[in-house]
Amino acid sequence: MTRDDDYLRDLLFQYEASDEWLLMMPGDTLGSSEEEQRERYHVMLLMDVGFATDVGRGTFRLTSLGHDYINAVRSDTVWTKTKDGANKIGGATLGIMKDLAIAYLKQEAASKLEINL
């Protein structure tokens, strides 16, 4: 299965919007749908890089690093620049995507606040 960075971003926004801090692992039963399996795979990718962590018994939560990434990619402008930057270098790890997003967010903040970061 291929990692879908747009899908990861959408999932993170969805999890952030939840009233619950403890989230259920999707696709945890036999006969899970293809979409549930896709979501489960992507949750596991989020765990791999520390954006989410396993709490146990089929549950997980977002980490502080995950919330930082959400804030970095919240702006559609920053997200577009991040994806374009990754494409220019021929693809990027999720860690590099995070670094690019933070760099573009800092660039926007410095410009809007008229300060050097």
Side-chain angles (χ1 to χ4, degrees):
M1 182 176 295
T2 304
R3 186 183 81 200
D4 182 333
D5 294 319
D6 288 310
Y7 185 68
L8 282 173
R9 180 179 182 244
D10 291 343
L11 285 178
L12 286 167
F13 289 155
Q14 175 186 325
Y15 299 150
E16 179 193 42
S18 173
D19 291 333
E20 302 295 326
W21 70 271
L22 194 59
L23 303 160
M24 296 299 297
M25 179 63 87
D28 207 17
T29 60
L30 290 176
S32 299
S33 71
E34 193 173 306
E35 181 57 29
E36 289 171 320
Q37 290 299 317
R38 179 178 187 228
E39 183 177 350
R40 180 183 183 87
Y41 177 75
H42 282 80
V43 168
M44 293 172 88
L45 292 174
L46 293 173
M47 289 181 188
D48 289 345
V49 295
F51 293 173
T53 189
D54 182 26
V55 177
R57 297 187 179 191
T59 60
F60 68 98
R61 68 170 179 82
L62 295 179
T63 63
S64 183
L65 184 61
H67 284 283
D68 289 348
Y69 185 66
I70 291 168
N71 286 330
V73 298
R74 189 175 310 280
S75 159
D76 289 336
T77 302
V78 168
W79 181 238
T80 299
K81 288 180 180 180
T82 299
K83 291 192 311 180
D84 288 348
N87 286 334
K88 285 179 185 175
I89 59 173
T93 66
L94 201 47
I96 291 174
M97 295 284 288
K98 176 187 66 73
D99 292 344
L100 287 172
I102 289 170
Y104 287 123
L105 180 63
K106 284 182 178 181
Q107 189 178 58
E108 284 209 357
S111 174
K112 288 181 181 180
L113 299 174
E114 299 178 358
I115 58 174
N116 292 323
L117 292 176

